[in-house]
Amino acid sequence: MSASKILIVDDEPTIVRLLDMSLKSDGYTTCTASSGEEALAVFEKQSPDIVVTDIKMPGMDGLELLKKIKDLDPDKEVIIVTGHGDIDSTITALQYGASDFINKPVRDEALAIALERAESKIRIREQLAAYTQNLEEKVAEATVEIRRRSNFQRLLIHSSHDAIVAFDRDWQIVVYNPEAARIFSKRARDVLNKMTIEDLYPPQLAAHFKKEAKNGTDDREDIPWKEMVLETRDKKQIPVRYATSVLHEKKEFMGIVNFFQDLTEIKRLERELIQSERMAAIGQTVSGLAHYVKNILIGLKGGSYVVNVGFQNDNMEKIKTGWQTIQKNIERVANLTQDMLTYSKERSPEVALCSPDEIVSEVKDLISDFAESNDIEIVTQCEPDLGQMWLDPGTVHRSLLNLVNNAIDACLQEEDPDRRFKVEIRTRKNEDGAAVFEVEDNGCGMDEETKTKLFTPMFSSKGGKGTGLGLLVTKKLVEEHRGTIDIDTRLGYGSVFTVTLPERPETARDQNDK
Amino acid sequence: MGKKILVVDDDPDVRSFVLTVLEENQYTPMVACDGVEGLEVIQKEMPDLVILDVLMPRGSGIRLYRHLKTDDALKAIPVIMFTGIALRSFLKSQKVLEAFKGEKIPEPDIYLEKPVEPQELVDAIRKKLD
């Protein structure tokens, strides 16, 4: 604060001059007047911070001047100079709001202290004013902000696509947005601050949330999304997904908030999606099958043509050849039908005590002629013998036959003219005592893409010569046996298929019990 | 003695069918089970016509066809493609191969999609040979 401006008022010019000199030398700015009237005029013109006035003056005296100045500006400080023992005037001056008194004759120290006090009063008042004004501004700002935020939150809750319902500690409904009104088919004005949780929620759900509220102790406990079918009080069934926040303050229960999402539309879309996927799968299946069936038809037509020619020419050889073709294709239809049935029906393994190694040699016998005619060696490696095991012999047989046939096809598709093709069938027990069957070939192998598509329905890498069902059926049989099927393959070098089947004696007993 | 016709097909049923059709129409049939064997027979026997499957193990029909059409000694032999593969797919594979190898191969003289009636096959053969 810059040095104060002081107005000195006294009817004695000497005193005025003395005080004026003294205060100037202390660094104050001064102005002077020799009467009350003059003082008022100077005051209005110069607006001093502090007035030092003699009390006794002709005309307007010090007290009247004090009163007028305080009327003009209550913040100005007025120091009254009085004679000794003038108690009545002193009291009046105090009533008028004088800030200090000094006795005549005016001593420098007394004046200095009075001025300092007056200045500090002014300073405090100024600071207070600044602070108060600042505070008012801050409050105004905060009010705007709070209003804005609360509006924002209200809008947020109002326009949320989730239904939001909140309860206070007495389970009164205090938040209930339009989406909530839609789901629960009750108007906000009938619900807000009128209903409790039991009035809105089905009894079980209300009880559930009340229980959740008791459990919580933290500031806020979020209970993650769950799904349920909400039965509203007007008996509507609505599939919803809901989340809950239990609110606590200082470990005390404050209320809970529920968020509901109506899943009706999503469920409908899901159903449509599943339906369209099913249609697509059927489409794929039908076109894959049509291709395969066409090939069987070609075989049957060709075979019957050859048989006819045989009859016409009385050529037994032709009849035999044609008949073989026909029989082979009848067999293909039979296999296809069986594969389709196996694939489409749930089936539990028919477990019996059987010898896996015997099944391996049966399979080998079945395909050895065909393999030999294509220069493919079939090797079996069954040492040590697995003995008798509780397995479904049908699963073992079909799986192995499928895998060995695939292995032979893989050899036929490989174009390396120098390679000696070999398919090896190995059996062993793993550490868990499960039977492990490995079928390895050194045929064409597979790239990653083919490998990932292996178990896709109707996927075949054999052109029209595969149904695309073989591996799928194998996988299904193996999984129904609670086993696994693994593939290790390298394009151009061959593949190993590993089927692991755990023993299932309990299944055999179940079947016997039935 | 009828003209020599080679059937290259890995499916024994198709071979016996085509063989019978050829015999019934007084041609001299020959058979091969795959592309590699097919080329051997062609070089040895120089048939008047080749009936060629597309998808076969060990040297596909596509490879054998391209070989025939780029070998000066063999390119005059007419070829009937006889296959379960749709013509569209076959032509597409040819286009890809042409772009890849940078050589243009004439399209097959006749392309028959299985199944084929015996008479259709005979008509196709006559068209090329008579």
Side-chain angles (χ1 to χ4, degrees):
Chain A
M1 175 181 164
S2 59
S4 306
K5 189 189 259 187
I6 299 171
L7 169 60
I8 304 158
V9 191
D10 204 305
D11 55 333
E12 284 180 50
T14 332
I15 290 178
V16 170
R17 206 166 58 242
L18 270 171
L19 283 178
D20 188 36
M21 280 163 61
S22 168
L23 292 177
K24 271 191 177 135
S25 72
D26 286 343
Y28 292 105
T29 315
T30 57
C31 46
T32 60
S34 53
S35 68
E37 291 79 4
E38 190 193 350
L40 217 50
V42 174
F43 178 86
E44 284 185 17
K45 210 164 147 194
Q46 303 259 341
S47 185
D49 305 300
I50 302 168
V51 180
V52 179
T53 178
D54 189 14
I55 200 165
K56 284 198 178 103
M57 288 182 293
M60 186 190 289
D61 69 359
L63 286 177
E64 208 182 331
L65 177 62
L66 163 65
K67 195 169 168 270
K68 292 226 156 98
I69 286 172
K70 282 288 174 185
D71 283 346
L72 283 171
D73 186 346
D75 285 350
K76 299 297 179 186
E77 296 299 325
V78 180
I79 297 168
I80 304 291
V81 181
T82 68
H84 262 299
D86 194 355
I87 299 296
D88 290 344
S89 308
T90 311
I91 290 169
T92 315
L94 268 178
Q95 283 169 344
Y96 288 165
S99 66
D100 221 331
F101 305 90
I102 43 180
N103 288 320
K104 271 189 170 173
V106 175
R107 285 180 298 116
D108 283 351
E109 305 91 88
L111 181 60
I113 290 167
L115 284 174
E116 220 167 84
R117 269 205 294 239
E119 278 191 317
S120 104
K121 262 174 142 176
I122 292 173
R123 206 159 41 233
I124 289 168
R125 197 162 40 234
E126 277 175 358
Q127 279 172 356
L128 198 66
Y131 185 70
T132 311
Q133 194 183 1
N134 207 8
L135 199 66
E136 278 168 4
E137 277 168 14
K138 284 259 156 65
V139 168
E141 268 171 34
T143 311
V144 170
E145 177 66 13
I146 286 170
R147 193 167 296 141
R148 200 181 62 76
R149 281 195 199 182
S150 117
N151 267 341
F152 180 73
Q153 281 173 356
R154 206 171 44 79
L155 274 175
L156 198 68
I157 292 171
H158 191 81
S159 59
S160 170
H161 289 299
D162 290 1
I164 302 175
V165 183
F167 305 89
D168 64 10
R169 70 184 74 194
D170 303 318
W171 299 100
Q172 276 261 335
I173 297 165
V174 287
V175 173
Y176 184 80
N177 71 351
E179 175 65 7
R182 190 186 69 76
I183 287 188
F184 291 97
S185 341
K186 284 191 194 314
R187 288 177 305 182
R189 69 174 119 133
D190 299 333
V191 171
L192 267 178
N193 300 311
K194 284 184 185 152
M195 284 191 176
T196 63
I197 190 163
E198 280 94 354
D199 305 323
L200 187 67
Y201 288 178
Q204 255 184 321
L205 193 63
H208 167 71
F209 286 131
K210 283 194 155 180
K211 200 168 140 255
E212 294 278 10
K214 269 185 204 148
N215 295 338
T217 49
D218 291 335
D219 288 350
R220 200 184 78 185
E221 196 192 358
D222 291 331
I223 298 156
W225 291 97
K226 287 177 193 161
E227 281 190 23
M228 64 175 286
V229 176
L230 184 74
E231 192 180 315
T232 61
R233 292 272 158 156
D234 56 356
K235 302 288 169 211
K236 261 200 302 180
Q237 302 254 343
I238 302 172
V240 291
R241 196 168 163 260
Y242 68 97
T244 309
S245 285
V246 183
L247 307 173
H248 292 269
E249 196 174 65
K250 295 183 182 130
K251 306 224 177 229
E252 206 173 310
F253 175 62
M254 291 292 292
I256 71 168
V257 187
N258 287 140
F259 304 88
F260 293 92
Q261 291 176 349
D262 186 343
L263 299 181
T264 312
E265 183 66 3
I266 291 168
K267 292 276 180 211
R268 190 182 63 76
L269 288 174
E270 266 176 13
R271 274 198 302 276
E272 270 180 17
L273 188 68
I274 290 168
Q275 187 63 21
S276 66
E277 268 173 12
R278 195 174 291 148
M279 294 309 285
I282 290 170
Q284 205 181 359
T285 309
V286 167
S287 92
L289 273 181
H291 202 55
Y292 188 69
V293 171
K294 189 180 85 177
N295 279 325
I296 295 176
L297 191 69
I298 292 167
L300 288 173
K301 274 184 132 178
S304 50
Y305 170 80
V306 174
V307 170
N308 279 339
V309 167
F311 279 132
Q312 279 163 21
N313 302 352
D314 212 1
N315 181 338
M316 205 53 192
E317 203 54 40
K318 279 280 167 217
I319 294 173
K320 265 190 194 164
T321 313
W323 189 241
Q324 266 172 11
T325 301
I326 290 170
Q327 274 179 322
K328 205 182 332 173
N329 283 289
I330 289 171
E331 189 67 18
R332 284 166 86 190
V333 174
N335 281 334
L336 173 65
T337 314
Q338 171 141 35
D339 275 356
M340 284 168 67
L341 284 176
T342 309
Y343 180 59
S344 59
K345 261 203 300 203
E346 285 294 318
R347 167 186 178 282
S348 49
E350 286 163 17
V351 174
L353 205 53
C354 60
S355 160
D357 298 314
E358 269 174 30
I359 301 172
V360 169
S361 49
E362 278 169 33
V363 168
K364 187 187 173 187
D365 288 348
L366 271 175
I367 44 91
S368 59
D369 279 355
F370 180 69
E372 212 172 286
S373 68
N374 283 287
D375 288 330
I376 298 166
E377 189 187 0
I378 306 284
V379 181
T380 55
Q381 170 65 258
C382 302
E383 291 292 331
D385 194 300
L386 289 185
Q388 299 282 307
M389 291 183 79
W390 288 102
L391 300 169
D392 178 349
T395 296
V396 177
H397 185 97
R398 299 257 323 266
S399 304
L400 279 180
L401 192 59
N402 249 328
L403 294 180
V404 173
N405 270 323
N406 283 350
I408 290 173
D409 286 337
C411 292
L412 292 175
Q413 280 185 35
E414 173 56 41
E415 304 200 343
D416 180 353
D418 300 325
R419 197 175 296 180
R420 286 187 51 80
F421 290 103
K422 188 168 100 173
V423 173
E424 191 167 325
I425 312 167
R426 294 186 292 265
T427 62
R428 61 184 167 87
K429 265 190 195 183
N430 71 3
E431 55 273 21
D432 300 326
V436 180
F437 302 86
E438 286 172 347
V439 177
E440 178 167 5
D441 67 72
N442 60 348
C444 60
M446 284 173 273
D447 56 20
E448 271 305 309
E449 197 196 340
T450 309
K451 191 181 158 189
T452 56
K453 281 189 190 158
L454 272 186
F455 298 105
T456 309
M458 299 301 148
F459 170 77
S460 176
S461 57
K462 302 177 189 173
K465 284 159 194 163
T467 58
L469 273 174
L471 264 183
L472 211 60
V473 165
T474 304
K475 186 174 182 235
K476 183 169 180 282
L477 288 171
V478 167
E479 282 176 353
E480 279 168 348
H481 208 292
R482 303 220 183 113
T484 54
I485 180 163
D486 297 296
I487 304 132
D488 187 14
T489 182
R490 223 175 124 203
L491 186 62
Y493 291 88
S495 310
V496 187
F497 281 74
T498 306
V499 169
T500 306
L501 297 176
E503 282 197 274
R504 298 283 306 277
E506 74 287 355
T507 310
R509 274 193 291 277
D510 289 352
Q511 279 157 356
N512 283 348
D513 289 349
K514 278 173 201 164
Chain B
M1 202 58 171
K3 289 189 170 170
K4 288 195 276 189
I5 296 179
L6 171 66
V7 186
V8 189
D9 202 307
D10 62 321
D11 186 341
D13 297 342
V14 174
R15 288 201 300 268
S16 72
F17 166 71
V18 178
L19 193 86
T20 308
V21 173
L22 295 177
E23 282 169 353
E24 284 301 289
N25 290 276
Q26 285 77 47
Y27 293 109
T28 305
M30 287 172 268
V31 291
C33 306
D34 57 52
V36 175
E37 194 190 343
L39 185 60
E40 283 169 19
V41 179
I42 291 166
Q43 281 164 339
K44 201 167 129 207
E45 300 283 345
M46 289 303 285
D48 297 293
L49 186 138
V50 177
I51 295 174
L52 184 56
D53 187 18
V54 174
L55 273 191
M56 283 183 298
R58 277 176 237 179
S60 71
I62 292 176
R63 187 181 295 184
L64 180 54
Y65 177 73
R66 295 188 76 83
H67 187 111
L68 290 179
K69 291 301 157 189
T70 46
D71 186 327
D72 286 338
L74 305 175
K75 62 163 59 153
I77 301 173
V79 176
I80 291 176
M81 298 307 279
F82 185 63
T83 174
I85 302 288
L87 177 61
R88 206 156 42 103
S89 313
F90 175 79
L91 292 180
K92 199 175 162 205
S93 74
Q94 290 302 296
K95 232 179 227 162
V96 172
L97 277 174
E98 271 158 20
F100 181 66
K101 295 197 169 176
E103 57 185 21
K104 180 97 178 105
I105 303 292
E107 279 180 23
D109 299 316
I110 294 176
Y111 194 96
L112 293 179
E113 275 177 50
K114 297 172 190 170
V116 168
E117 293 296 326
Q119 197 51 52
E120 270 181 83
L121 183 58
V122 173
D123 288 347
I125 295 168
R126 290 217 174 109
K127 206 164 138 196
K128 286 322 291 182
L129 292 185
D130 298 344

